[in-house]
Amino acid sequence: ASSAASDVYKRQIEDLSNQKDLPPAANKQLGLLTKSSNRLLRLIDQLLEFRRLQNNKMELKLEETVAERFFYDIYLTFKDMAAKKRIEYLFESNDPTGRMLLDRSKMDKIAYNLLSNAFKNTPVGGKIVMKLDFSVVNDTFTMSVSDNGPGVSVDKQKMLFVRFEQIHYASEGTGVGLHLTAELAKVHKGQVTYVDSLLGGACFSLTIPMSDENYDPADIIE
């Protein structure tokens, strides 16, 4: 029911966006409303996914996707936040055209959670890098988010992906989001890991298989 209601809400905003000759002030407010609604819809979707996880009903729905374009669109949703905090915000990739199977809903949640976490814990004037690495040799795709925030102390690293554990290494806890992120990665035949960032803070990496042979054909959406 929550998912259906959110779809209706999204369509109503899209209908407003498609109207012509809106005053500049209305267009500005509509832009803010669109961003706020997208954040709300993402939160609702995460709560629904968390419920599926609790009920052991999480499934893979794989679609052939140009990975760089997909993750770059998610990267762009944080550009305004980067500007407000004067953060040097970079995107790097070693394959602009590579296509692979992704469960887009799960990948959106993972990337969004890791970027949100980085922005929460990176100071004003800091640096965040989202990097994609396609390795044919290792048959792996890795998406990492690095920052120059405080990082995570060794004694707290073991609690990062524990359900409901609050890791106050900076301003806010991260347990629920990172736990869900790790579980989503497992369903996608991969994992999320933490290492100290070369930038001096935290680096969270998602690694999943790259070739189609790693997945059950029944999980692929035609």
Side-chain angles (χ1 to χ4, degrees):
S2 298
S3 179
S6 64
D7 288 341
V8 171
Y9 183 36
K10 186 175 182 180
R11 284 198 299 272
Q12 289 174 341
I13 294 176
E14 288 174 348
D15 289 342
L16 282 173
S17 300
N18 291 330
Q19 290 187 19
K20 298 179 180 180
D21 301 323
L22 285 175
N27 268 322
K28 183 178 180 180
Q29 291 300 316
L30 187 58
L32 294 173
L33 179 61
T34 300
K35 291 177 181 178
S36 297
S37 66
N38 285 338
R39 294 191 191 100
L40 178 60
L41 293 174
R42 271 193 165 99
L43 177 58
I44 291 172
D45 204 20
Q46 286 193 51
L47 292 173
L48 292 173
E49 197 76 83
F50 196 73
R51 188 170 65 183
R52 294 187 194 103
L53 172 63
Q54 290 177 310
N55 296 332
N56 294 315
K57 292 183 178 180
M58 198 176 286
E59 300 176 343
L60 264 183
K61 295 181 180 179
L62 300 163
E63 299 176 72
E64 190 176 80
T65 306
V66 179
E68 181 181 293
R69 181 73 255 177
F70 175 81
F71 285 101
Y72 186 70
D73 284 343
I74 301 171
Y75 161 86
L76 289 177
T77 64
F78 288 83
K79 288 286 285 185
D80 287 348
M81 190 180 300
K84 288 177 182 177
K85 292 186 69 174
R86 301 193 304 280
I87 288 174
E88 183 183 1
Y89 184 39
L90 305 176
F91 180 88
E92 301 175 359
S93 171
N94 64 354
D95 188 349
T97 60
R99 303 178 73 89
M100 60 184 293
L101 291 175
L102 294 178
D103 184 317
R104 298 176 189 176
S105 176
K106 291 177 177 55
M107 289 297 106
D108 178 89
K109 294 177 181 67
I110 291 172
Y112 198 86
N113 274 330
L114 295 186
L115 285 169
S116 294
N117 192 58
F119 274 91
K120 287 176 183 176
N121 298 300
T122 300
V124 172
K127 184 175 183 178
I128 295 174
V129 178
M130 185 181 196
K131 183 177 180 180
L132 310 184
D133 180 74
F134 300 80
S135 175
V136 176
V137 174
N138 297 320
D139 191 27
T140 57
F141 165 77
T142 301
M143 184 276 295
S144 63
V145 176
S146 305
D147 64 62
N148 70 337
V152 184
S153 62
V154 175
D155 62 309
K156 291 183 177 180
Q157 289 177 17
K158 63 180 180 296
M159 297 184 289
L160 278 172
F161 305 106
V162 177
R163 181 179 173 185
F164 298 132
E165 189 69 53
Q166 297 296 298
I167 311 298
H168 290 281
Y169 66 89
S171 58
E172 300 189 31
T174 61
V176 176
L178 287 177
H179 168 71
L180 177 59
T181 299
E183 293 301 318
L184 291 172
K186 288 178 184 177
V187 176
H188 218 296
K189 317 297 182 185
Q191 61 178 341
V192 175
T193 55
Y194 170 86
V195 295
D196 291 331
S197 169
L198 294 177
L199 301 179
C203 176
F204 288 91
S205 295
L206 160 75
T207 301
I208 59 173
M210 196 164 72
S211 63
D212 299 0
E213 288 74 17
N214 295 282
Y215 299 105
D216 187 338
D219 295 330
I220 301 172
I221 299 174
E222 294 295 337

